[in-house]
Amino acid sequence: VDKAGKFVIDQAGSFISNGTKAVFYFILMLVSIYYFLKDGDKLVDWLRRAMPLPREKVDATFRNLGEVINSTITSGLLVAFLQGLLGGILFAVVGLPSPIFWGAVMAFLSLLPVIGAFLVYIPAGILLIISDSTLRGIIVLVVGLGIISQLDNFLRPALMAGKTALHPLLLFFAFMGGISAFGFTGMILGPVVVAAFVALAGERG
């Protein structure tokens, strides 16, 4: 009982700490988005003038970065939609209540860094197992972990490959390296860094 109590206290402290960080980062993101939308053009113009490169190289660099950023956002929205759709179908198949609502929640959570659809389907699977619906719980966990959560790793690079000059394999390693270096935000930062390097190097993916 003493060990269990310490474990619960430690986990509760970690949860509160991570939750506080998530709220802080979310507020930071909103403030940043506001000023980027308000003064973003001025910042881009300043960066263009500050880069010690020929005009055509600067234009090519910003064009490639724009393609990667736009395709990252578009593919992220599509992947989130598919994750929510698959999650809703999964919940409907195993007989869980409100599959449309929980599918929408999973789609929304998939858009947030660090947070994902697993926050819905993992507790649902565990609750099913605890409530003597072992087979249904295992199905939810296997499909969730094996298919829904893996869409980010494989489908997103494939979707981006058709919209950028980067090779799909290079994009895949950009995602994996970005996640390893920056966490889940590396799904965006990784491809952007690689695109900047390719553009500045004067090569095509």
Side-chain angles (χ1 to χ4, degrees):
V1 172
D2 181 61
K3 290 181 179 180
K6 289 181 179 179
F7 175 79
V8 171
I9 292 174
D10 291 339
Q11 293 303 312
S14 176
F15 178 79
I16 293 173
S17 174
N18 292 333
T20 303
K21 289 181 180 178
V23 172
F24 172 75
Y25 290 148
F26 183 73
I27 295 174
L28 186 64
M29 178 189 69
L30 292 179
V31 174
S32 300
I33 288 175
Y34 168 76
Y35 283 105
F36 281 139
L37 291 175
K38 180 176 178 291
D39 300 320
D41 293 338
K42 297 178 182 178
L43 176 61
V44 171
D45 290 338
W46 179 84
L47 289 174
R48 285 178 178 272
R49 294 193 302 269
M51 292 182 69
L53 295 171
R55 181 71 182 189
E56 60 274 9
K57 179 67 71 173
V58 173
D59 292 340
T61 300
F62 275 85
R63 184 169 58 252
N64 289 345
L65 289 176
E67 290 176 353
V68 171
I69 293 172
N70 289 333
S71 60
T72 299
I73 295 173
T74 303
S75 61
L77 291 173
L78 182 56
V79 168
F81 170 76
L82 291 176
Q83 286 182 324
L85 178 63
L86 290 176
I89 293 174
L90 174 63
F91 275 34
V93 169
V94 299
L96 288 172
S98 305
I100 296 177
F101 170 77
W102 290 116
V105 172
M106 281 187 271
F108 174 74
L109 293 177
S110 299
L111 295 172
L112 304 179
V114 181
I115 303 172
F118 66 90
L119 286 181
V120 175
Y121 68 73
I122 286 182
I126 294 174
L127 286 175
L128 284 174
I129 293 175
I130 294 175
S131 61
D132 295 330
S133 298
T134 305
L135 179 59
R136 293 194 298 160
I138 292 175
I139 290 174
V140 169
L141 293 177
V142 169
V143 173
L145 294 172
I147 297 178
I148 295 176
S149 289
Q150 299 306 315
L151 289 178
D152 257 334
N153 298 330
F154 298 100
L155 184 58
R156 193 190 294 255
L159 292 172
M160 289 183 61
K163 299 179 180 179
T164 69
L166 300 178
H167 192 277
L169 182 61
L170 183 59
L171 278 172
F172 175 77
F173 282 114
F175 275 114
M176 295 297 101
I179 292 173
S180 176
F182 306 110
F184 279 90
T185 55
M187 290 188 296
I188 296 176
L189 295 178
V192 169
V193 171
V194 170
F197 172 78
V198 171
L200 292 174
E203 298 177 358
R204 305 293 288 178

